[in-house]
Amino acid sequence: MELNLRVVLFWVVALHCGSVNGSILYRVQEEQPPNTLIGSLAADQGLPDSGHLYKLEVGAPYLRVDGKTGDIFTTEIPIDRETLRDCRSLAKGKPCYLEFEVSVTDLIQNQSPRLIEGRIEVQDINDNTPQFPSSVLTISVPENTIMGALFSIPLATDRDSERNGVADYALTAGPDAATLFGLQVADDRGGKLPQLIVLGNLDRELKDSYDLTIKAVDGGNPQRYSSALLRVVVTDANDNSPKFEKSSYDAELSENSPVGHSVLQVKANDSDMGPNGEIEYTIHQAVDPVPKLLRIDRSTGIIYVKGPLDREEISSLSFYVVARDKGPQPKSSKTFVTIEVTDQNDNAPAVEIRGIGLVTHSEGVANISEDMPVGTAVALVQVSDKDEGENAVVTCVVAGDVPFQLRPASDSPTDNRRKYFLQTTTPLDFERVKEYRVEIVAVDSGNPALSSTNSLKVQVTDVNDNSPIFSPTLFEVDFAEENQPGERVLDVTATDADSGTNAQLLYNIVADSTIRGLFEIDPNSGEVRARSPLDREHKERYEFWITAADKGSPSHKGTATVVVKVLDRNDNEPKFMLSGYSFSVLENMPPLSPVGMVTVQDMDKGENARVHLSVEPDGGKFVVQNGTGTILSSISFDREKESSYTFRLKAVDGGEPPKSSYVGVTINVLDENDNDPVITKPSNSSFRRLSPLASPDSHVEVVEAEDLDSGPNAELVFNIAGGNPYQLFRISPTTGEITLAKEMTRKHGGLHRLVVRVSDRGKPPRHATALVHIYVNETISNVSLVEALVGHSLYTPLDRDIAGDPDSGFAAHRSNILFGSLAGVAGVVMLILVVVFIRHRLQRETKSGYQAGKKETKDLYAPKQAPKNAKGKRGRKGKPQKSPKALGENEEVGIQKSLKFNLDGVNDSPRIHLPLTYSPGSPDIGRHYRSNSPLPSIQLQAQSPSASQKHQAVQDLPAANTFVGTGGDDNSTGSDQYSDYSYKTSQPKYNNKQ
C-alpha cells in the first residue's frame, strides 16, 4: 500500500513540478565541456531515484542520461548554437531549443514505460567576431552635400545572438577627415545601423577621397571586434536623392513558387532630370540565402524568385533595397523588405518507429516475450509533419488485423508532432503466431491530403522447448565449376521457435572426409563455402547433411540435406576425334553430295557443348552440316580442273566466351572416265609418204593422244580399226607407233587410209578415232594431187577401205599429159579428146566412192561440162543424196561426199579445185578444218538416216592446223590449202556396183 502511494505521488509531482507549458525546460550555455550536468530528472522534478530505468530516446549525440538517476549530461560532441539544425534559420531574438525525450520504466511493477519530454534552451556565448562584408568599404559623397547629410555604411554581421551580436560602431579618421566626417549609429529593428555624417564642406577639386577606419564591436564579455577601411569618394553634385514610396515593404510568397515568379515591386522617385533622375534598384546588405533565392529587376524594382523556396528551410526573408540614380555623383536611398514564406502541403507526414524502455529494436524488428502483460509498449511512434497549420494536423492509425494499438504518449502534443505508444491489446501466444508485421498509416489534413506508412516487425520469443527447423529440409543449389577456393555455395538457415540463446544456432556439416575436404560451413551464419575448385567433368552431384544446434540447455538439433549440382562452365574446347581428315570422292558427283563426316566432342554440357561447325576459308565450295558433321560439296568435282581441296573446319561451342578448335581436311578427287582420248598427232588431213622399197618393221608414223583422266582411265590402247585390208601395217598398242608389217608390191602403191582407234582402259571405255594417210610412192611430184586424194578420203565412209592406187596406169597417164603439154598443140588436142571421152562416160554413170583394187581414175579426173558463159562459177545443185545403209552399233562410219573436179588448164602440175558442198543441216567439216580454234573432234551424221541405204560416219578429228611430219616432200600440211575454195552440195547417186 505504501509503495503504491509513493508511485502515485511520483507522477503527481512529476506533472506539477516538471512541466513548463506541458514539458520540462532546462537552460545551458553552448560549447560546454563533456559531462557537464544539465539537469537531474529525479532530483529536479521529484521523480523516483530507485527501482526505475531512465533511457534517453531523443537527444543524442549531444546528450546522455544516467540510467538510475535520470541525470542529463553533455557528451564529447559540443552543443554549438550556431550549427544546430533547428537554430540556423531562427529570427533574431528567438531562443534556440534542443529537445529531448527520456523513457522511465518501473522495474519492480514491470509496467509499460512512461515518456518524459523536455527542452533545453541553448544560451549563446560570445564565440563569434563581427565581420564586415569586405575589408575595404567605399561610399560616394557628392561635393555639394550639405552638412548633416547621412550616408549608409555597410553593416557588419555577427553569428551570435542579439546580446553578443554587433553592439556598436566606431569611426577613426585622420586630421584632414576628422573635421569633415563623423559617425552616427541608429537603432533599426533591433540592430545597429551605422551612418556617415557630413560635418563640413567638401571640395572635390581640393581632394577627391578620404580613408577612414570603421570598427564594429559586439556586446559580449569580453568584447570582440573587427575593423575595415572606409573610403569616402567625393563626386560631382547631384541635387536630389531617390525617395521610396514606402519606408518598408511586406509581402507573402508561397513556397515552391516557380523561378521567375514576381513577388512585389518597390518604387522610388527622383525629382532630378536626365540621368540624375534615372533610378537603378539593387538588393543591399542581404545575407544568405537571400541572394540565392531572390533577384531584383534593376530598372523596374520588381523582385523575382531566383531559386527554389522551401518554407521548412527558411520561413522569412529580410533585406534592404537601394535605389540609386545615374548621375555623375549618384545619390541613393534604401527601404527594408520583409517576405514571409507561406506553407503549402508539400510534405507527407513522417512516421518514426523506435524502441522504448527495455524493448530494443534492431533493423526494424522488435522482440517481445509471449508472457508480457496486455498493454505492454512495444515501440514509440512519433508522427510529424514539416508543414504548418491544417497541413500539419496528422491522424495516425494501425492498419490490419493485429493485436496492437496506439496510445498517446505525451500530455502536451503539438500540432505538427504527436507521439504514441504501440502497445499490445491481447495476450501473445508464441506457439500460435511467432511474429507480426505492424503497419502504421499517417494522413495529414491538407488538401489534397498526403499520407505515409511505416512498419515494424514484432517477434514473439519463448523458452527453449523447440528444436531448430530447416525450411526446406532439402537444399538444392546449382553451383558453377572452376570456382575459387572459399567461394560461397549457398546459405542454409534454420529457425528455432525459441528466443535469445535458446534460438542461437550453430551449424555443422555431417559427412565423410571427402565432402569435408570440399565444403565448409560458417557455424554462425550457415554459409556453405567451397574449399577447393569443383570439376563437373569429374563429378556432377554432391549430397551431405547439415545440422543446426541451439545453445539452450539441453541443446536441440535439426537436420537438413544439401544437394549441390555442379553446373558446367565453358572450360573445354571442342575436340575433333582425329588430328586431320582426308576423304576421297569421285568426280562429277552432283552438288550437295556428302564427301565425308567428321566427329567433334565437347566435354562441357548444354550450350557450352553445343558445337557449330564452319568451313574456313569459306570459298563457297563446301558446307558442313551441324549436328551430323557431314561435309557436303557445293560444286560438282572435276578432277581434271582440280584434283584435291584443302581447308579447315572450325568448331565453336556455344559458351560465353566461346571456345574453338580447328582441324585440317583434305578432299581427294578420284578420277572418273569422263574424258575421251584426244588425238594430238597426226592431223586427219595430213599424210606421210612411204617408199615402196621400205623394209618390214620400218617406222611409218606415230599416233599421239592424251587423256585428261588419270590412272586406268588415262591408259591408252591403240589399234587399227580399218583401212588395212592387206595387213601392210601394224600399230603398237601402247606407244601408237605404226610400222610396216611386210614388204609392199606394185599394187600397194598410192594412198592408204588407216582408221586408228585410241581407247582408254576406263569402265566403260571411251575412245577416239584418227585417220592416218600414208602415200606409198618413191617421190611426190604433185603435192596438190596427193592433197586432193586426202581431201577425197575425208568424205569417204570409214567402212570403205582406201588401200593403195586401184589404177596402176595413173602415173603413165599423168606422164602423157605432161609430154602432151610440152609437145604443144598436139598434146592439147589429145587432152581435149580424153576429156571429152571422160565426160561422155560420166554422163552414163557417176562414181564417187573409192575402193581398194577398183579403178576410179576417170571419176577423179572427169571434167565437168559447163556453159561457156559460166566458166569459174559454181555448178548446179544435184538431187538430194541418198544415205548408205547404216552400220552396226558403235561403229564409226562417214558420209560419202561426191567430189567433182574442174580441170582449168593443162600444165606440168595441174591445180585441182575441190568444190565440196554439203546437204542442208549436215556438219560443215570444211569450215571445221579452216577454223583457227583447235577442236578435238567432230561428229558427222547423214541428214536422212531413214533412206533405204544409210551411211553414218563418226570421226574424232584433231585440229586441222596440227602440223605432222618432219618436212620435205613426204609430208602434207593439212587441208588448209583448200580453205579458199567454195563448197557446194554434191548429191551423187550410188549404183549397185558401188
Side-chain angles (χ1 to χ4, degrees), residues 556 568 713:
H556 295 275
D568 185 58
N713 297 330

Side-chain angles (χ1 to χ4, degrees), residues 682-687 751-755 769-774 786-802 848-850 860 881 892-899 901 914 916-918 923-930 938-941 951-961 972-979 983 990:
S683 171
N684 287 350
S685 60
S686 64
F687 65 90
L751 182 68
H752 293 258
R753 182 186 69 177
L754 299 182
V755 180
T769 303
L771 300 181
V772 181
H773 294 90
I774 303 170
V786 179
E787 290 177 347
L789 294 175
V790 172
H792 180 72
S793 168
L794 295 178
Y795 297 96
T796 301
L798 299 183
D799 59 346
R800 296 183 184 273
D801 292 331
I802 300 177
S848 60
Y850 185 90
L860 293 172
Q881 174 184 347
E892 293 92 354
V893 297
I895 300 176
Q896 180 179 1
K897 302 292 183 177
S898 61
L899 306 177
F901 303 92
L914 301 179
L916 304 178
T917 58
Y918 312 95
D924 191 345
I925 296 180
R927 294 191 184 92
H928 165 74
Y929 282 104
R930 294 195 306 272
I938 64 171
Q939 183 175 358
L940 304 181
Q941 295 181 351
H951 289 269
Q952 184 176 6
V954 179
Q955 300 189 40
D956 297 318
L957 305 177
N961 56 0
S972 71
T973 59
S975 61
D976 288 344
Q977 53 188 321
Y978 309 125
S979 61
Y983 296 82
Y990 296 90

Side-chain angles (χ1 to χ4, degrees), residues 554 588 617:
N588 298 323

Side-chain angles (χ1 to χ4, degrees), residues 283 285-295 306-307 317 319:
I283 294 178
Q285 294 182 342
V287 296
D288 284 338
V290 173
K292 297 178 182 178
L293 301 178
L294 301 175
R295 69 177 180 86
K306 180 180 179 182
L317 300 172
F319 52 92

Side-chain angles (χ1 to χ4, degrees), residues 669-729:
V669 183
L670 301 180
D671 185 54
E672 190 178 59
N673 195 21
D674 58 344
N675 290 281
D676 295 330
V678 177
I679 298 171
T680 60
K681 178 184 178 183
S683 171
N684 287 350
S685 60
S686 64
F687 65 90
R688 168 77 68 174
R689 186 190 69 83
L690 181 64
S691 173
L693 301 178
S695 62
D697 296 327
S698 297
H699 172 79
V700 179
E701 179 65 280
V702 175
V703 178
E704 295 180 359
E706 63 181 16
D707 195 315
L708 295 178
D709 296 320
S710 64
N713 297 330
E715 295 179 6
L716 302 180
V717 179
F718 301 85
N719 71 296
I720 298 175
N724 193 20
Y726 304 118
Q727 303 299 315
L728 285 177
F729 305 98

Side-chain angles (χ1 to χ4, degrees), residues 110 121 202 405 476 693 930 948 972:
N110 195 21
E121 181 182 347
L202 301 177
Q405 68 178 7
E476 291 184 322
L693 301 178
R930 294 195 306 272
S948 62
S972 71

